[in-house]
């Protein structure tokens, strides 16, 4: 079965070691075949790609960016990922047992809510005949692993892109709306505030003369 496997690491150095182990190994190992693997990190509120490789091209740049993982990172680091992360991350991220919660959620919601600032996760696109073989590679690390159907994730990413477009269009419409009386009142309030601030500044400078 073709899966997207997410491994959440408690120790950052272990995430890089696991990534290195997979990269050094063969693309085809016993009961699983690797397609793409990437390390993701949450930094300054954004989920970004730290490193990655593609077994078809052995390159990080255009291959991964054009593939499933690249598309996933685009959504996770975009406005929808930011919205989901800040919306529920502080609550779900503190849960002691997040395994069941993540499996019930879609991948994008799960990752944005699970990953707190500085957290590192490894994402792999894998064809598996048995889950055991891939799990053996990670068993020496303190990591929590969750699997998703690759085809379901691809559909989820496409759906998320559509949601983002709708959100952007809605935001544009809201920004183009004529100012309401309430908004106009706010403008006058702020105008008076600025005038008062500059009047105070003028007093201070004139008092120095």
């Amino acid at each position: 079965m073709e899966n997207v496997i997410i491994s959440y690491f408690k120790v950052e150095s272990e995430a890089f070691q696991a990534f290195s182990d997979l990269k050094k190994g063969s693309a085809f190992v016993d009961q699983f075949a690797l397609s793409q693997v990437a390390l993701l990190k949450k930094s300054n509120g954004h989920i970004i790609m730290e490193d990655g490789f593609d077994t078809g091209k052995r390159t990080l740049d255009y291959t991964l960016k054009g593939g499933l993982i690249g598309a996933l990172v685009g959504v996770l680091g975009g406005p929808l990922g930011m919205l989901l992360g800040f919306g529920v991350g502080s609550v779900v991220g503190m849960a002691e047992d997040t395994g069941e919660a993540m499996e019930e959620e879609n991948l994008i919601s799960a990752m944005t809510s699970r990953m707190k600032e500085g957290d590192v996760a490894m994402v792999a696109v894998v064809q598996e005949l048995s889950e055991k073989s891939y799990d053996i590679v990670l068993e020496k690390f303190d990591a929590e692993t969750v699997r998703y159907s690759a085809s379901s994730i691809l559909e989820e990413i496409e759906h998320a892109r559509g949601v983002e477009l709708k959100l952007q269009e809605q935001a544009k419409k809201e920004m183009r709306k004529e100012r309401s009386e309430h908004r106009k009142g706010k403008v006058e309030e702020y105008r008076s505030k600025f005038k008062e601030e500059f009047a105070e500044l003028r007093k201070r400078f004139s008092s120095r003369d």
Side-chain angles (χ1 to χ4, degrees):
M1 183 176 180
E2 294 73 36
N3 291 322
V4 173
I5 305 177
I6 315 295
S7 299
Y8 300 94
F9 290 82
K10 294 183 179 180
V11 180
E12 182 173 343
S13 61
E14 290 192 357
F16 280 89
Q17 184 59 55
F19 174 83
S20 179
D21 289 350
L22 285 176
K23 191 173 184 179
K24 290 177 182 177
S26 171
F28 298 92
V29 183
D30 294 333
Q31 299 296 304
F32 70 89
L34 294 173
S35 173
Q36 297 179 339
V37 184
L39 280 179
L40 307 184
K41 183 174 183 177
K42 192 163 189 178
S43 177
N44 296 320
H46 293 271
I47 296 178
I48 59 175
M49 187 186 297
E50 287 281 285
D51 201 354
F53 68 90
D54 182 283
T55 58
K57 297 292 184 180
R58 297 289 178 183
T59 158
L60 169 62
D61 295 329
Y62 71 90
T63 309
L64 276 180
K65 289 180 180 177
L68 188 152
I69 289 180
L72 175 61
V73 173
V75 174
L76 291 172
L80 184 59
M82 290 286 289
L83 179 64
L84 291 172
F86 283 115
V88 296
S90 58
V91 178
V92 181
M94 291 187 293
E96 292 183 3
D97 184 7
T98 58
E100 292 184 4
M102 284 190 294
E103 290 179 347
E104 292 174 357
E105 291 285 349
N106 59 54
L107 172 59
I108 295 170
S109 294
M111 290 198 72
T112 52
S113 62
R114 169 64 173 82
M115 294 182 71
K116 301 186 290 295
E117 185 68 18
D119 280 356
V120 178
M122 185 169 67
V123 184
V125 182
V126 184
Q127 184 181 64
E128 297 181 288
L129 296 179
S130 167
E131 295 182 0
K132 183 178 180 181
S133 295
Y134 186 90
D135 290 344
I136 288 175
V137 177
L138 297 181
E139 65 181 3
K140 63 181 178 181
F141 304 110
D142 189 2
E144 179 182 6
T145 296
V146 185
R147 285 171 168 81
Y148 300 85
S149 163
S151 56
S152 296
I153 296 310
L154 184 56
E155 187 280 330
E156 183 182 324
I157 291 170
E158 291 178 351
H159 177 68
R161 284 172 167 171
V163 172
E164 280 190 341
L165 288 175
K166 289 179 181 179
L167 288 173
Q168 290 170 3
E169 286 301 315
Q170 184 63 30
K172 288 178 182 178
K173 288 180 181 178
E174 290 295 326
M175 292 301 293
R176 285 196 296 260
K177 280 184 177 180
E178 292 184 4
R179 282 197 172 96
S180 64
E181 290 303 317
H182 174 72
R183 288 188 62 198
K184 289 178 181 178
K186 282 289 185 181
V187 170
E188 291 302 320
E189 178 185 335
Y190 295 148
R191 182 179 288 118
S192 298
K193 181 179 179 181
F194 279 118
K195 285 183 177 181
E196 290 174 3
E197 289 178 355
F198 278 100
E200 183 63 28
L201 283 173
R202 288 180 182 277
K203 283 183 181 180
R204 290 179 184 178
F205 279 105
S206 61
S207 64
R208 294 177 185 177
D209 297 338

